[in-house]
Each structure stands twice: as structure tokens, then as C-alpha cells.
């Protein structure tokens, strides 16, 4: 099937709820994508932050092949080894809590919100979230997402969500009442434009939650699993959340979500209160175990730190040359380039030249290279971006 034939199929049979580019991707390998027209694309935003250790990582592929031949899915009526093993590996690398598995980020956040309601007293039904956040597209998580553009057409929203400006401690203080069950934030807002929470902000959330008998939920769906150079972004601070959610990079490309809570909180989730048919299936869990092993065996956390610094340095150099770049921000391999005007045209032109990056919030270029990236590949990406910015100002 050629590109046009595939697009025709979509036009006829697939709901058009995405703005898609006119390209059909047929293969992914490491830092590269290949389209049906034979183009090779350097991917600095692999799978919307899902393919965190690159496309089709050999260790993930091997684990999937092996697991697929033994057991793909077994319902949660039974125990299965990959789910238990994954929970252990994650718990040891996070705050020692227990894990619940599902299939996406939104589902992980749904589980977190339900657990916070279950664990806290019945008059506590409110959730504080931050402006610019993104927590998913289900009814509760879209209400948690404090960006009006995601609410259009869906009013009235699920009640109970209170929005505060991000990184604003006094606004948070003012929003607290006895009815607050939890505060939910991203340590670095991804879709919101790579906005990094200050240490003081996370510390203040922790203190205010403790003072008011509320829970602190960190949405690490995009920041988690090594992206920032630590297993989880909260580990850059002294703050430990009560509940944390994961998804995107966890399965190396396979759909999986996870919610973890401190043991005494997790205990509120007794049989009958929450469930997922596919959650924790053997195939997805085996993939996630392979991701964790690959990150450790190949020293990818160190690589994320080192290459993150390198990428930022290179982008800072571009800033000296191109006035459209206002500043560069981010942690590890989660980097945003704040432009002084729209970035979408720049992203399109980069793709035409064989580089995939993303633009979010209208004017922030998002670089989230796979954790296996090398200096040579970053140089290649910078060179393409440089040429596009140069042409753009002509
Ligand atoms: C992508 C994302 C989600 C939603 O994940 P889905 O798998 O699309 O449901 C939630 N929170 C954050 C921070 C995200 O980046």
C-alpha cells in the first residue's frame, strides 16, 4: 500500500479526531523513523514521549517475543509473574509503595483520583490542579486538566476541580479548604510547555497537603521512567508524593499505565473499588521490565543527564544566532525552547528536512530525544534546526 492508499483508508474508516501529517510510518529503529516513501527521519520526540529508550529497543523486542510465546494476557483473577516483578522493580526505584497497573496515563490518573477520594474522609471531594496542566482526556482527567481549550464542548465538567496558577505558592495556600482531597501536579508540565515546578513549589504542596490532611499526587506520566536523568522527576527534590502516576515511556512503546501509592494509602483500594481488564497483562509488564533493565544495563540515566546538558548547550548556542529563540529550559532530556513567535511552521520544516521535534503551547519547541541518543545525533538535529531557523528569518 502506498502513502495515498493508506491515507484514503483513514479518510474512509478512521475517525478524524487527530490532525495528522501526510506521512505513513512503516518502521522505527532506535532514534530513527522510516516512512512509506523511503524517507529516514531523526526522531527527537519518539512516539510522543512513549518510545523513551528509542523505537523497537532490542531488549524490549526480545522480551515481547519471549512473553508472547508463553502468555500474552491473563485476567486479574489470577497472579502472573511479570506484573509482580514489574511492581517490585518500580517500587524499589520509587518510594517503596505498592502498584496498580492500567493501560494509559489518563487511566493511571483516574485511579489516583479515585484512590484519593477513597482514602480521605467523605467531605473531602475537591482536587487542586495547576493551570497549564495536562492529565488526560477521560471525563475526570479532562476536568483535572486546567486548560479551557480541552473543556470546550464538554461542559459541565465533573465538579470538584479547583485550578491555581502553576508555581504560585500563595495561590495554592488560598485555594486550600477542608474539602480538598488532593493536589495533583506534574513536576514538569509537558503539554503545557516544559514548565518546571520549582523545588519550593513542590515542598509547599507537600507541607500544605500534610497540614490539611490532603494527598499529594504527582503526575509523572511524561516525566517518569528516566527522562529527566532520575527514575522519577520528584527525585531531583527532597519531596516524596503520596501517589504517583506513570505511563508513556514505561512500556517501551507498549500501552501500560501505573499508579503507585504509599502502602497505607494503597490499602484503601480493596476488591470491588477499582479494576482494569487489560491492566497489568503479562505482555505489557514484560516489556516494562525489559525497559527498566535496559535503562540500567546501558546506563541510560547517566546518558540522559549528559546528553541533556549537551543538547541544552547546543540550543543555547543557537540562541546566540537566532533572535526567535527566547530561552531554553528543562531537565535532562525533557527540553523546551521558548520562541518569541509560533513554532509550528518550524516543526513542519524540520520534518521536511528529516528531523522530528514537537511544538507545544504554540511557541515552545519540545525536544525529548530517546535516552539512547548520542552527541552525533544531537549535532545532526541541531544542524537541521539551525538551517530551518536561518531560512525562516530570510
Ligand atoms: C500524556 C499525558 C497524560 C495522558 O496519557 P494518555 O496515555 O494519553 O491517557 C497524562 N498526564 C501527562 C502528564 C501526560 O503527559
Amino acid at each position: 500500500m502506498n502513502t495515498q492508499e493508506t491515507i484514503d483508508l483513514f479518510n474512509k474508516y478512521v475517525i478524524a479526531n487527530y490532525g495528522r501529517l501526510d506521512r505513513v510510518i512503516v518502521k522505527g529503529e532506535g532514534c530513527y523513523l522510516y516512512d512509506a516513501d523511503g524517507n529516514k527521519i531523526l526522531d527527537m520526540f519518539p512516539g510522543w514521549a512513549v518510545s523513551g529508550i528509542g523505537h523497537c529497543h532490542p531488549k524490549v523486542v526480545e522480551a515481547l517475543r519471549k512473553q508472547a510465546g508463553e502468555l500474552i494476557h491473563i485476567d486479574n483473577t489470577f497472579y502472573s509473574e511479570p506484573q509482580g516483578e514489574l511492581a517490585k522493580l518500580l517500587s524499589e526505584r520509587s518510594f517503596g509503595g505498592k502498584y496498580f497497573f492500567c493501560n494509559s496515563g489518563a487511566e493511571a490518573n483516574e485511579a489516583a483520583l479515585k484512590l484519593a477520594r477513597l482514602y480521605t474522609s467523605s467531605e473531602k471531594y475537591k482536587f487542586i490542579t495547576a493551570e497549564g496542566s495536562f492529565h488526560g482526556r477521560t471525563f475526570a482527567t479532562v476536568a483535572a486538566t486546567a486548560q479551557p481549550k480541552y473543556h470546550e464542548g464538554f461542559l459541565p465538567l465533573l465538579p470538584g476541580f479547583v485550578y491555581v496558577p502553576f508555581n504560585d505558592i500563595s495561590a495554592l495556600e488560598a485555594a486550600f479548604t477542608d474539602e480538598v482531597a488532593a493536589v495533583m501536579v506534574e513536576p514538569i508540565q509537558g503539554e503545557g510547555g516544559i514548565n518546571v515546578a520549582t523545588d519550593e513549589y513542590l515542598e509547599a504542596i507537600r507541607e500544605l497537603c500534610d497540614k490539611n490532611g490532603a494527598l499529594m499526587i504527582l503526575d509523572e506520566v511524561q516525566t517518569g521512567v528516566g527522562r529527566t536523568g532520575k527514575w522519577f522527576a520528584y527525585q531531583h527534590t527532597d519531596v516524596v508524593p503520596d501517589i504517583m502516576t506513570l505511563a508513556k515511556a514505561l512500556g517501551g512503546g507498549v500501552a501500560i499505565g501505573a499508579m503507585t501509592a504509599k502502602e497505607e494509602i494503597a490499602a484503601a483500594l480493596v476488591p470491588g473499588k477499582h479494576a482494569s481488564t487489560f491492566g497489568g497483562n503479562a505482555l505489557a509488564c514484560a516489556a516494562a521490565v525489559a525497559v527498566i533493565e535496559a535503562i540500567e544495563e546501558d546506563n541510560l540515566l547517566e546518558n540522559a543527564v549528559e546528553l541533556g546538558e549537551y543538547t541544552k548547550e547546543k540550543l543555547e548556542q543557537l540562541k546566540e544566532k537566532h533572535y526567535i529563540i527566547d530561552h531554553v529550559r528543562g531537565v535532562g532530556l525533557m527540553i523546551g525552547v521558548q520562541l518569541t513567535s509560533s513554532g509550528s511552521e518550524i516543526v513542519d520544516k524540520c520534518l521536511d528536512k528529516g528531523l522530528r521535534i514537537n511544538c507545544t503551547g504554540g511557541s515552545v519547541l519540545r525536544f525529548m530525544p530517546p535516552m539512547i541518543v548520542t552527541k552525533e545525533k544531537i549535532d545532526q538535529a541541531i544542524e537541521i534546526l539551525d538551517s530551518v531557523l536561518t531560512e525562516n528569518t530570510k
Side-chain angles (χ1 to χ4, degrees), residues 33-362:
L33 286 176
Y34 299 82
D35 73 15
D37 298 315
N39 297 302
K40 183 177 175 181
I41 301 159
L42 179 60
D43 196 352
M44 293 288 143
F45 192 59
W48 208 276
V50 164
S51 307
I53 58 169
H55 294 281
C56 300
H57 191 287
K59 284 176 179 149
V60 175
V61 172
E62 201 201 310
L64 282 169
R65 286 210 169 102
K66 184 162 170 284
Q67 189 60 49
E70 287 169 10
L71 179 69
I72 293 176
H73 172 84
I74 184 65
D75 46 271
N76 286 298
T77 315
F78 296 98
Y79 295 97
S80 56
E81 195 178 308
Q83 186 177 146
E85 194 189 351
L86 176 60
K88 173 178 187 277
L89 292 178
L90 287 170
S91 181
E92 287 171 351
R93 284 154 188 76
S94 49
F95 47 83
K98 287 189 164 178
Y99 276 77
F100 163 81
F101 294 102
C102 49
N103 316 285
S104 67
E107 278 178 81
N109 287 334
E110 285 279 344
L113 296 169
K114 281 180 73 179
L115 175 56
R117 288 285 302 272
L118 264 183
Y119 179 75
T120 55
S121 67
S122 58
E123 71 267 18
K124 289 187 179 294
Y125 72 99
K126 288 189 174 168
F127 295 102
I128 299 177
T129 64
E131 287 168 12
S133 59
F134 184 83
H135 298 297
R137 303 287 204 149
T138 61
F139 239 94
T141 60
V142 89
T145 296
Q147 295 195 58
K149 67 175 176 182
Y150 293 112
H151 300 162
E152 278 165 29
F154 303 111
L155 302 177
L157 298 174
L158 189 70
F161 290 88
V162 178
Y163 310 133
V164 294
F166 189 59
N167 268 339
D168 182 337
I169 295 172
S170 46
L172 183 70
E173 251 169 340
F176 252 101
T177 64
D178 287 343
E179 294 169 322
V180 174
V183 176
M184 180 157 84
V185 294
E186 297 150 86
I188 303 172
Q189 292 184 335
E191 305 310 305
I194 316 290
N195 306 316
V196 184
T198 62
D199 291 0
E200 297 73 37
Y201 189 56
L202 294 177
E203 283 159 15
I205 294 174
R206 180 69 277 172
E207 269 170 40
L208 286 166
C209 283
D210 289 343
K211 204 172 107 193
N212 291 280
L215 298 180
M216 176 173 185
I217 304 172
L218 284 183
D219 177 347
E220 293 232 23
V221 167
Q222 193 159 151
T223 51
V225 200
R227 166 70 38 203
T228 67
K230 300 264 189 198
W231 279 109
F232 308 103
Y234 79 86
Q235 293 168 336
H236 291 282
T237 73
D238 294 330
V239 172
V240 177
D242 298 303
I243 298 176
M244 173 175 75
T245 55
L246 304 172
K248 293 204 163 85
L250 181 57
V254 179
I256 185 169
M259 186 267 307
T260 180
K262 289 175 178 164
E263 193 163 352
E264 68 276 15
I265 298 166
L269 223 47
V270 295
K273 292 297 182 196
H274 196 59
S276 165
T277 301
F278 289 102
N281 70 80
L283 194 70
C285 289
V289 167
V291 167
I292 293 171
E293 287 172 353
I295 289 174
E296 247 150 41
E297 285 162 16
D298 303 343
N299 298 316
L300 296 183
L301 292 179
E302 290 82 350
N303 205 53
V305 173
E306 193 187 327
L307 273 290
E309 283 308 312
Y310 185 75
T311 307
K312 268 204 244 174
E313 234 171 74
K314 291 279 153 180
L315 288 167
E316 290 287 354
Q317 286 167 12
L318 277 193
K319 183 189 143 184
E320 299 305 312
K321 252 174 102 175
H322 302 285
Y323 296 122
I324 190 175
I325 299 181
D326 185 76
H327 68 273
V328 180
R329 58 178 182 252
V331 183
L333 285 173
M334 187 163 180
I335 302 168
V337 180
Q338 178 69 59
L339 303 177
T340 54
S341 58
S342 164
S344 58
E345 202 184 322
I346 290 164
V347 166
D348 291 346
K349 285 184 178 161
C350 283
L351 187 59
D352 288 341
K353 289 179 182 262
L355 169 68
R356 187 202 191 188
I357 52 174
N358 170 261
C359 175
T360 186

